[in-house]
Structures are given as structure tokens and as C-alpha cells.
Amino acid sequence: MSTLGTPLPAALIPDCTEPEAHHAAYRSAKVNDAIFVCITRHGQRWNVELDAMSSSGPTIPDEAVAVLRSAAEALVLADTVAQANIAPDYISMRAIESEQRAREIAAAFHAALHGLRQLYTAVSRQC
């Protein structure tokens, strides 16, 4: 898992299809104060999961969540993702065609969530 403020590249996103792998990766994220991210296989398709509650960083504001939601909706409209759920502390996307594409999406949203948190922290300190 990454350290706080360090997004994972696509190749390092863990495959948590097995429950034991999921538990281990989530525990590791909590220990490292990192945003949890993983992919899982469901049949022939892949899912993406991010959980910011594994880290101590701030919840991002609604305006930032809207940016993530817009990106997820674009993936749904393009039929890249069948379903997307976006909340301030949790992101999930379902039924992605390939493992590589799921890794790319997971890495992009992981980086975005980190960046939005860092931006929010930097701006809120100035106000």
C-alpha cells in the first residue's frame, strides 16, 4: 500500500478477489494511513474499490466529489463501467471489461482522490 499522499500506479493496485487478500490489503492501508484501493474479479468482469476511511485524511468537500462523480458518469456513458458509486469517502465501479482497464481506472481515481485531498488541505490552511 502507499503512504499517505502517495497514489499507487496501475501495476501496484492489489487484486483483492480473494477475501483474505482484501482483508490484508485493507489492514495494510490502515496501518500505513493510506487510502485503500483494489480491484476484484467478478465472473469475467472487474470491479474497482477505493475507501478513504482507511486513512486519517480529511473528507473532501462536495465540490470535489462532483468532479469524481462527473468522471465516473463519463465512464458509465462510454460503457466502460456498468455502475459507479461515488461518495466523499468511498468509490466503487462495477463490470469493467479487463483487468488492465480496471487497474488504470483504479490508479486514476486513487491519484485524483489523493490530489483533491491535498488541494483541500492546502486551501483550507490558507482560509
Side-chain angles (χ1 to χ4, degrees):
M1 271 296 125
S2 65
T3 58
L4 188 61
T6 306
L8 288 176
L12 296 181
I13 301 293
D15 178 349
C16 293
T17 300
E18 297 299 322
E20 299 80 21
H22 191 279
H23 295 307
Y26 195 85
R27 254 190 323 274
S28 177
K30 285 191 74 78
V31 165
N32 290 302
D33 198 22
I35 296 170
F36 172 74
V37 60
C38 76
I39 58 170
T40 59
R41 186 178 187 132
H42 187 76
Q44 297 298 314
R45 302 285 181 154
W46 290 85
N47 303 324
V48 167
E49 179 183 343
L50 292 99
D51 187 341
M53 291 182 285
S54 62
S55 71
S56 63
T59 299
I60 62 172
D62 291 340
E63 298 85 2
V65 174
V67 171
L68 296 171
R69 187 170 288 119
S70 178
E73 288 171 359
L75 290 170
V76 171
L77 289 173
D79 290 327
T80 302
V81 171
Q83 177 188 3
N85 297 304
I86 309 295
D89 288 321
Y90 186 80
I91 298 171
S92 68
M93 289 176 247
R94 306 278 177 241
I96 301 164
E97 187 172 311
S98 72
E99 177 182 1
Q100 183 57 36
R101 189 66 176 127
R103 287 181 181 284
E104 292 167 357
I105 292 168
F109 276 81
H110 197 233
L113 192 51
H114 273 288
L116 289 168
R117 273 186 156 187
Q118 289 173 337
L119 181 62
Y120 176 69
T121 301
V123 170
S124 66
R125 284 186 186 156
Q126 297 299 315
C127 297

